[in-house]
């Protein structure tokens, strides 16, 4: 760790790429303000781990909603992303619909590209209505749709008139923006314009909340809801893991929004504050310390002494149940090091959970983070908007006089904002130890080099790089699907995480396999000018 790993990684690049990638890397130092470039185009030719705009809209934000049919309008190659590629668990009661296990795509062929695909989209909607009878259909466009100019908005409007349903079309063609982050924004806009504020469900208690940016991977959302209900909160809606259109439509009636994944959902949080007066609080239910802090901040927001006491009682009960197991796993993992390169907020949140087990993070980065995810929201006014960002619609909302309700007075809000993270997020860099590294849009070459230099004991990543790292002899846990384990949220989730980490790290397989490149000469070459 004494050398500058960034410099070693960068030395193989030509001058142009060197200049670009250098701005996306930093070593955490004593300086209070460190800047990193993010949310810009990947250098052509570099194998990025990012997804596209369509993946962010369809796969991340809209895909987990269970009571609607989501049609991918495009070739089946894009539609493959519809088929259970993420673990957004959902369950229903009684005869309520659950369409999350189904895959719908228009499977556009060459004639559709040449002559237009709107007729095929209309036919797909007719078939869905005949087979499924949903109350809501949403349409996600892929690259060819935007290139040939299919008017999916008109098809959606026609379906609404014909069937009396809600039909929302999203122009989330994959080429928009620089990553899946653009798709998050587009999905947020559509939900705000067409869904939120239209429901008539009434919360049963004033301690009513929405969980924003929770996608119920491995059942995380269910574990959070269990804890919150045990304290006395009502979860009105979840955006969008195990979420439903009917509850999302009534989310404006909750008294507080809890923002888990800041990047994917902060737009909705801000717009709901402006239009409906619902404050938002940055939370983190990953890790014992993060969960405890979040629960205490929530109790402080509502300010009821009985709720505060109940919160402490539940924290004590939950800790008593898991502390022996956590201590046992920490005894085995203490002193280990980790690297994280994941989307959403996980590269930040999981550092706290790793710390609970004595594991230090030496490298972290985001696939599609913005500068404020790294440096904190206070730098947002200083971020210069580029052409790619301007491709994404920025909608503005106004105060709804009939539905506006603020739980706190302005005086109460101002006082609390100084004590808890109300509409605040300090970013990942703030919590990282001096000497550790931050890299935005990490590619496979850089991942290999950082592994060689920093030698972390474990690497947390996504499906695209997991197996390359694992074949090199380092435990790699997938934090996009939890390797089909979980939940990892809350108190019980921390225990499951510790169990899975020990199971993976201490497996004897690591001592039985030697990668061929460790004992065999590899080809060397140079790139001509």
């Amino acid at each position: 760790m004494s050398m500058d790993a960034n410099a070693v990684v960068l030395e193989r690049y030509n001058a142009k790429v060197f200049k670009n990638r250098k701005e996306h890397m930093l070593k955490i130092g004593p300086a209070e303000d460190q800047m990193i470039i993010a949310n810009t185009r990947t250098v052509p030719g570099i194998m990025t781990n990012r997804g596209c705009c369509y993946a962010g809209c369809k796969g991340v934000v809209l895909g987990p909603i269970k009571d609607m049919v989501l049609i991918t309008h495009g070739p089946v190659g894009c539609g493959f992303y519809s088929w259970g590629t993420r673990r957004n668990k959902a369950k229903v009661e009684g005869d309520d619909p659950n369409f999350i296990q189904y895959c719908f795509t228009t499977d556009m062929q060459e004639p559709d590209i040449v002559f237009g695909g709107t007729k095929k989209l209309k036919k797909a909607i007719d078939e869905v209505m005949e087979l499924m009878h949903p109350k809501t259909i949403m349409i996600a466009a892929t690259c060819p749709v935007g290139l040939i100019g299919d008017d999916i908005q008109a098809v959606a409007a026609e379906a609404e008139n014909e069937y009396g349903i809600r039909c929302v079309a999203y122009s989330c063609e994959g080429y928009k923006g620089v990553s899946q982050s653009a798709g998050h924004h587009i999905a947020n806009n559509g939900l705000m314009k067409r869904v939120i504020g239209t429901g008539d469900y009434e919360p049963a208690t004033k301690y009513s909340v929405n969980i924003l940016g929770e996608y119920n991977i491995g059942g995380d959302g269910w574990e959070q809801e269990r804890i919150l209900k045990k304290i006395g909160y009502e979860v009105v809606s979840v955006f969008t893991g195990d979420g439903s259109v009917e509850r999302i439509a009534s989310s404006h009636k909750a008294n507080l929004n809890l923002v888990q994944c800041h990047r994917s959902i902060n737009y909705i949080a801000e717009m709901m504050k402006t239009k409906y007066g619902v404050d938002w609080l940055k939370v983190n239910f990953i890790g014992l310390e993060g969960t405890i802090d979040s629960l205490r901040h929530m109790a402080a927001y509502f300010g009821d002494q009985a709720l505060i006491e109940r919160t402490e009682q539940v924290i004590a009960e939950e800790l008593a149940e898991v502390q022996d197991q956590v201590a046992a796993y920490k005894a085995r993992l203490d002193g280990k090091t980790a690297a994280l390169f994941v989307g959403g907020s996980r590269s930040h949140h999981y550092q706290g959970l790793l710390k609970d087990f004595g594991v230090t993070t030496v490298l972290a980065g985001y696939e599609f983070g913005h500068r404020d995810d790294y440096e904190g929201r206070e730098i947002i006014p200083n971020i210069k908007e580029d052409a790619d960002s301007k491709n994404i619609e920025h909608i503005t909302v106004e105060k709804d006089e009939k539905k506006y309700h603020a739980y706190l007075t302005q005086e109460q809000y101002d006082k609390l904002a100084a004590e808890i993270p109300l509409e605040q997020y300090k970013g990942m860099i703030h919590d990282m130890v001096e000497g550790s590294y931050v890299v935005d849009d990490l590619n496979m070459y850089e991942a290999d080099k950082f592994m060689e230099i920093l030698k972390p004991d474990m690497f947390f990543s996504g499906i695209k790089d997991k197996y390359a790292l694992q074949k090199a002899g380092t435990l790699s846990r997938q934090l996009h699907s939890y390797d089909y384990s979980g939940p990892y949220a809350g108190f019980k989730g921390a225990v499951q995480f510790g169990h899975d980490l020990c199971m993976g790290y201490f497996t004897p397989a690591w001592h039985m396999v030697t990668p061929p490149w460790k004992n065999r000469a590899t080809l060397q070459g140079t790139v001509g000018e």
Side-chain angles (χ1 to χ4, degrees):
M1 292 287 285
S2 58
M3 72 173 81
D4 187 342
N6 288 339
V8 177
V9 172
L10 289 165
E11 66 182 3
R12 289 289 298 275
Y13 288 133
N14 63 40
K16 185 176 181 180
V17 177
F18 180 99
K19 181 180 179 181
N20 179 298
R21 290 301 299 155
K22 184 179 181 180
E23 296 180 322
H24 293 259
M25 301 180 180
L26 63 83
K27 184 176 182 180
I28 301 296
E32 290 187 8
D33 299 316
Q34 289 187 280
M35 190 185 89
I36 188 168
I37 295 299
N39 192 41
T40 59
R41 296 186 184 187
T42 298
V43 177
I46 285 182
M47 294 298 290
T48 179
N49 285 323
R50 284 172 166 175
C52 67
C53 179
Y54 159 76
C57 181
K58 190 279 168 196
V60 177
V61 179
L62 301 180
I65 301 176
K66 61 190 176 185
D67 63 342
M68 71 170 190
V69 167
L70 180 52
I71 300 174
T72 291
H73 185 36
V76 75
C78 302
F80 176 79
Y81 197 80
S82 304
W83 188 253
T85 53
R86 293 176 65 88
R87 293 185 65 227
N88 307 114
K89 292 188 173 184
K91 58 186 176 183
V92 295
E93 297 180 2
D95 296 326
D96 292 343
N98 185 0
F99 301 116
I100 200 169
Q101 69 269 43
Y102 295 103
C103 169
F104 302 90
T105 177
T106 52
D107 184 22
M108 291 178 72
Q109 302 293 314
E110 287 183 12
D112 305 311
I113 303 297
V114 174
F115 299 106
T118 54
K119 290 182 179 179
K120 200 165 192 178
L121 176 58
K122 176 63 170 63
K123 184 179 179 181
I125 293 172
D126 293 339
E127 290 179 0
V128 163
M129 291 305 302
E130 180 181 354
L131 293 169
M132 305 291 182
H133 313 292
K135 294 181 180 179
T136 300
I137 291 177
M138 293 191 181
I139 303 162
T142 59
C143 290
V145 175
L147 295 174
I148 66 176
D150 272 0
D151 191 348
I152 60 174
Q153 311 295 336
V155 175
E158 183 182 347
E160 287 192 332
N161 292 331
E162 181 176 351
Y163 292 110
I165 62 169
R166 188 197 316 260
C167 190
V168 187
Y170 295 84
S171 297
C172 56
E173 293 84 0
Y175 54 76
K176 289 185 175 178
V178 300
S179 71
Q180 56 264 60
S181 174
H184 304 155
H185 198 163
I186 291 170
N188 282 204
N189 289 348
L191 290 175
M192 193 68 199
K193 288 192 290 187
R194 294 297 311 281
V195 180
I196 298 169
T198 64
D200 54 11
Y201 173 80
E202 293 293 339
T205 173
K206 65 179 179 179
Y207 307 127
S208 56
V209 300
N210 301 311
I211 306 178
L212 276 59
E214 171 51 56
Y215 303 105
N216 204 36
I217 297 173
D220 280 348
W222 293 336
E223 181 60 14
Q224 293 167 35
E225 286 190 65
R226 181 190 69 81
I227 297 169
L228 295 180
K229 289 178 180 178
K230 187 176 180 181
I231 293 173
Y233 294 101
E234 178 184 359
V235 178
V236 177
S237 69
V238 181
F239 289 72
T240 53
D242 195 30
S244 71
V245 174
E246 298 303 318
R247 282 301 189 94
I248 291 173
S250 299
S251 59
H252 63 293
K253 298 188 177 183
N255 281 326
L256 178 65
N257 279 328
L258 310 176
V259 174
Q260 174 84 349
C261 176
H262 174 264
R263 180 71 272 134
S264 67
I265 213 82
N266 72 89
Y267 315 100
I268 281 180
E270 293 172 24
M271 288 187 286
M272 288 184 70
K273 166 68 174 178
T274 301
K275 189 171 183 177
Y276 302 113
V278 183
D279 293 325
W280 67 269
L281 175 71
K282 181 68 183 75
V283 297
N284 173 23
F285 291 112
I286 300 295
L288 299 178
E289 184 178 344
T291 300
I292 291 170
D293 286 346
S294 296
L295 294 176
R296 286 174 174 164
H297 292 159
M298 291 173 62
Y301 176 84
F302 285 101
D304 183 275
Q305 188 59 37
L307 185 71
I308 294 172
E309 292 174 1
R310 177 62 179 161
T311 297
E312 293 301 326
Q313 180 184 345
V314 169
I315 290 172
E317 291 174 0
E318 294 287 327
L319 280 176
E321 189 173 341
V322 304
Q323 60 186 6
D324 290 345
Q325 291 170 286
V326 170
Y329 293 133
K330 182 176 182 179
R332 303 190 71 190
L333 296 168
D334 193 37
K336 304 293 186 292
T337 59
L340 301 106
F341 180 63
V342 202
S345 57
R346 296 182 184 87
S347 288
H348 184 186
H349 290 167
Y350 274 87
Q351 292 187 43
L353 180 50
L354 288 165
K355 187 178 178 182
D356 289 336
F357 293 103
V359 179
T360 302
T361 299
V362 294
L363 169 70
Y366 290 127
E367 290 178 18
F368 51 78
H370 295 203
R371 278 187 59 196
D372 45 307
D373 298 302
Y374 290 103
E375 303 174 53
R377 289 184 60 86
E378 62 270 17
I379 62 103
I380 289 178
N382 302 324
I383 298 178
K384 184 178 180 180
E385 190 176 44
D386 59 17
D388 291 303
S389 298
K390 291 177 181 177
N391 279 335
I392 310 304
E393 180 188 16
H394 291 261
I395 65 173
T396 57
V397 296
E398 297 180 355
K399 181 178 180 181
D400 187 326
E401 296 291 350
K402 293 182 178 180
K403 299 176 182 178
Y404 192 91
H405 61 103
Y407 187 80
L408 300 178
T409 65
Q410 189 61 49
E411 183 180 355
Q412 291 172 323
Y413 180 92
D414 292 340
K415 181 180 179 181
L416 269 178
E419 302 172 2
I420 64 176
L422 270 176
E423 298 174 42
Q424 299 174 28
Y425 179 44
K426 293 183 178 180
M428 181 175 76
I429 290 175
H430 174 80
D431 289 331
M432 294 190 67
V433 298
E434 186 175 340
S436 59
Y437 291 86
V438 180
V439 182
D440 175 68
D441 192 18
L442 188 78
N443 59 61
M444 200 64 245
Y445 158 71
E446 292 168 357
D448 288 342
K449 291 299 292 182
F450 276 112
M451 292 288 293
E452 180 184 317
I453 299 165
L454 303 178
K455 296 179 173 59
D457 296 300
M458 56 201 73
F459 199 114
F460 298 90
S461 62
I463 193 67
K464 296 172 185 173
D465 46 357
K466 169 187 169 66
Y467 295 104
L469 297 162
Q470 197 146 293
K471 288 174 183 176
T474 301
L475 170 67
S476 181
R477 294 292 302 179
Q478 224 243 87
L479 288 186
H480 285 190
S481 72
Y482 299 175
D483 289 309
Y484 303 96
S485 183
Y488 288 160
F491 301 93
K492 293 182 178 180
V495 171
Q496 183 64 52
F497 182 77
H499 167 271
D500 291 351
L501 218 50
C502 285
M503 180 179 65
Y505 183 78
F506 292 101
T507 182
W510 303 116
H511 307 292
M512 298 177 181
V513 178
T514 302
W517 54 85
K518 288 191 175 181
N519 57 17
R520 187 186 308 164
T522 56
L523 291 173
Q524 297 291 327
T526 59
V527 179
E529 293 297 331

